[in-house]
Amino acid sequence: MVTVAHTLENLHTERRTFKPPVSLAAHANATAYEYKKAGVDRLEYWREAALRLAWHEPFTEILDWSDAPVSRWFHDGTLNACDNAVDRHVREGRGDRVAFHFVGEPGDTETLTYADMHERVQKAANGLLSLGVGKGDRVAIYLPQIPEAVVAMLACARIGAIHSVVFGGFSAESLRQRIDDAEAKLVITADGGNRRGSHLALKPLVDEALASHGEGTAHPEPCASVEHVLVVRRTGQDTAWTEGRDRWWHDVVDPQTAAHEPEWVDAEHPLFILYTSGTTGTPKGLFHSTGGYLVGAAHTHRIVFDLKPETDVYWCTADVGWITGHSYIVYGPMTNGATQVLYEGTPNTPHEGRWWEIVQEYGVTILYTAPTAIRTFMKWGEAIPDRFDLSSLRLLGSVGEPINPEAWMWYRRVIGGDRCPIVDTWWQTETGSIMISPLPGVTATKPGSAMTPVPGVAIDVVDDAGRPVPNGEGGYLVITEPWPSMLRGIWGNRHRYVSTYWNHFDGLYFAGDGAKKDVDGDLWLLGRVDDVMNVSGHRLTTTEIEHALVAHPWVAEAAVVGANDEVTGQAVVAFVIVRGDVAGIPDDGEAVAGELRKHVRKQIGPVATPRTIMVVSEVPKTRSGKIMRRLLRDVAENRPVGDVTTLADSSVMDAIRGGLEAGK
Ligand code: PRX
């Protein structure tokens, strides 16, 4: 394992703080008392949170940790996640409330109340049963961001089937790997989805995934587990059909009766599997429980986003194919009875103001998005959001990667009108729900810091020996006590679960992230520890230097890698995208690089000065928006570029190479 420097003192000079708005604090769902309660009795705190759910049979035990590191929470209670997310609202008189304002990319819209969702999930549940899917069976869901994706997930939960959502941007090969690993019985897909103004085909990828890939390949045989493919008609494009196996959603689901009693499952019954990339090549199928997961998702959603379900319009821009979509579109918000926006498309189709147009149109009050999106909007320029009325917004959230202080400030000023608090939420697919975040009515925030663990969650930063570091120092982020929404394991591989997360430090969950406690003890996430660089014996993280670069007025986005260097061990190589809306930036890449080198030296110190700064038009990102540093390292080290199949846009690497060749 790489070590994290303890000499990061000079890397954080951020001193600004922003108090919660008085009006929000006065009516906040969570006050400082929340921390106190959790501090006095953590398990009692979670018991109370769990009592907000609808249980079929009540639980008597809160936590069973006797089989550590696999936990059981509320295990003798029974419930159903779909009942909590949908039926309960109808039962308690909230059926007329809008659950989703759906906006398709081509401009089609649909309004779905909780009563509408109730009808749909019952029909879909009966449809799944008619295809022979039952409790414990695995169902792969490979859909665009349309209401049927939510309905399909909830219908699985309703019958006790375990869904495995595969993001619609993944390849046939990735889909096949995930279907095989989970031995899915059914695949739910669509003919296609709308993306950047054209039709993206999905069903042909399912056909390819399920077919034999030929002798000598990883999949010489056709997929053995899948019995049916259920296809939603979304785009109307022509679709090849395998008789007997393929069925239209409207033929199977629409004729069903809207009457179905939820399957009451034990709290520990697996709700879903979600694959995430590991440090080794094969994706890990993380799985989550029903009860503990739902408690974590719903509770954090209520306290971190301060949701007022009667008046708020909440929009999480993530795809349901990622954990953020699972926890903060489907299970958390719906359990809390939220009214949400669900948008199918990209932020710049048909124009770069599309998101802000949606905020204006639906009066969105809470927006939850990712730093990569914020930096993209910075690149496009603030004149675009300025054209829209964003005054309905009252709270902003960020997730997915460290947010650099400049992006944070831009988000606050340009999108939040200097009045909305920002909650920077740190968590992982593994944690199921938010672990570190400000509480918007309590915490005075610092731009770029996720601040403190949420109440009921125990986190620390430790050194190589697993000892807590003092304030002002950095190390590894660990979770020191079990929490309700923690993963229950890696599907079919307990050993890998234990060795990946629990073997680094005795009894502590190792998150894989570096973090620093500042002098006040607040937490600053420093990126994955595998992104740590060692330059002349000094340890630096890519994130620090990226923050510094983006703090320069010329820079819209920056990606930093550590490239092998004969003299210094590793050297800092930076790829930067310059802003389109700032005048006076030199055309000459060398002039830009010289200025930025000086800037980084000034911000962090000579040790962090990039050896090379390359001005590029794009940086390679995965479909979930993470920068693929591995590929940039290939460029920086002058190697042929490795596997680009997980890139959102594989032409980016050609453009970078081409640009660099031309600049030589
Ligand atoms: O490195 C952390 C980063 O994203 C990782 C988890 O990725 P994933 O499982 O895909 O889940 C993303 C959505 C929850 C973490 O190990 N990360 C996530 N949120 C933040 C973050 N890093 C810094 N600040 C955050 N707010």
Side-chain angles (χ1 to χ4, degrees), residues 4 8 402 426 461-462 474-478 510-517 523-532 541 543-544:
V4 171
L8 300 167
W426 179 90
V461 180
V462 299
Y476 306 103
L477 189 76
V478 293
F510 171 55
D513 282 45
K516 184 189 163 169
K517 292 179 191 168
L523 297 168
W524 297 74
L525 280 307
L526 301 174
R528 303 290 300 192
V529 285
D530 19 30
D531 293 334
V532 169
T541 75
T543 317
E544 312 284 344

Side-chain angles (χ1 to χ4, degrees), residues 587-589 614-616 653-664:
D587 274 345
D588 172 13
M614 305 184 189
V615 178
V616 292
M653 290 317 295
D654 296 335
I656 291 177
R657 277 262 191 241
L660 297 178
E661 294 295 325
K664 268 184 186 161

Side-chain angles (χ1 to χ4, degrees), residues 148-451:
E148 283 82 356
V150 180
V151 171
M153 290 164 76
L154 291 169
C156 287
R158 193 172 186 89
I159 64 170
I162 302 164
H163 59 70
S164 162
V165 183
V166 180
F167 176 57
F170 271 125
S171 65
E173 172 59 32
S174 306
L175 177 62
R176 172 66 180 267
Q177 274 181 11
R178 287 158 173 77
I179 290 172
D180 281 353
D181 188 70
E183 296 171 287
K185 201 166 175 183
L186 173 74
V187 182
I188 306 179
T189 189
D191 48 0
N194 298 291
R195 199 148 183 88
R196 298 190 197 286
S198 55
H199 289 167
L200 178 89
L202 288 175
K203 172 65 165 50
L205 296 181
V206 175
D207 292 337
E208 192 187 328
L210 299 181
S212 154
H213 293 187
E215 284 302 316
T217 67
H219 310 291
E221 303 292 333
C223 172
S225 62
V226 170
E227 292 170 8
H228 290 289
V229 178
L230 189 58
V231 188
V232 175
R233 185 181 279 151
R234 169 65 183 143
T235 56
Q237 66 206 94
D238 278 345
T239 299
W241 211 249
T242 303
E243 283 307 329
R245 185 194 72 181
D246 298 349
R247 305 287 302 275
W248 284 112
W249 174 280
H250 53 258
D251 288 342
V252 173
V253 173
D254 290 359
Q256 300 290 336
T257 58
H260 175 268
E261 159 95 2
E263 177 84 31
W264 305 110
V265 298
D266 294 344
E268 282 302 318
H269 182 70
L271 180 60
F272 64 85
I273 305 173
L274 193 54
Y275 287 83
T276 181
S277 46
T279 38
T280 66
T282 48
K284 301 176 283 198
L286 309 184
F287 68 96
H288 281 278
S289 70
T290 302
Y293 169 78
L294 204 60
V295 170
H299 177 69
T300 52
H301 182 258
R302 197 178 73 82
I303 66 170
V304 171
F305 297 103
D306 190 44
L307 182 85
K308 305 286 194 271
E310 299 80 12
T311 48
D312 275 319
V313 179
Y314 165 87
W315 183 15
C316 167
T317 65
D319 192 280
V320 290
W322 305 114
I323 191 68
T324 308
H326 281 54
S327 301
Y328 296 107
I329 295 176
V330 181
Y331 291 109
M334 292 190 73
T335 298
N336 292 335
T339 294
Q340 307 189 59
V341 165
L342 185 73
Y343 173 52
E344 180 190 27
T346 52
N348 54 351
T349 309
H351 58 80
E352 291 173 344
R354 185 75 192 265
W355 277 22
W356 316 121
E357 189 176 67
I358 292 173
V359 168
Q360 173 178 287
E361 164 113 20
Y362 291 95
V364 172
T365 58
I366 304 171
L367 180 70
Y368 190 28
T369 192
T372 181
I374 298 163
R375 290 194 300 265
T376 303
F377 295 128
M378 287 171 77
K379 187 170 78 180
W380 292 343
E382 64 190 77
I384 293 168
D386 278 354
R387 281 204 289 274
F388 299 89
D389 178 4
L390 307 182
S391 61
S392 56
L393 288 168
R394 69 177 193 94
L395 187 82
L396 304 173
S398 173
V399 61
E401 53 177 317
I403 178 164
N404 45 292
E406 264 46 48
W408 195 102
M409 290 299 296
W410 189 92
Y411 194 26
R412 183 182 156 90
R413 180 176 60 80
V414 178
I415 306 304
D418 264 331
R419 64 177 190 279
C420 303
I422 296 180
V423 289
D424 174 13
T425 63
W426 179 90
W427 58 295
Q428 308 177 296
T429 308
E430 289 86 343
T431 69
S433 61
I434 294 167
M435 298 279 107
I436 309 176
S437 171
L439 290 185
V442 183
T443 317
T445 52
K446 301 173 184 173
S449 169
M451 302 302 295

Side-chain angles (χ1 to χ4, degrees), residues 39-61:
V40 170
D41 189 341
R42 215 175 66 85
L43 293 187
E44 174 58 21
Y45 179 78
W46 284 118
R47 190 183 73 86
E48 280 178 28
L51 291 179
R52 297 184 77 92
L53 296 188
W55 293 86
H56 184 63
E57 288 166 75
F59 60 90
T60 61
E61 190 175 9

Side-chain angles (χ1 to χ4, degrees), residues 84-95:
N84 272 277
V86 181
D87 299 36
R88 185 184 185 180
H89 303 302
V90 177
R91 197 158 64 227
E92 296 178 1
R94 298 185 287 275

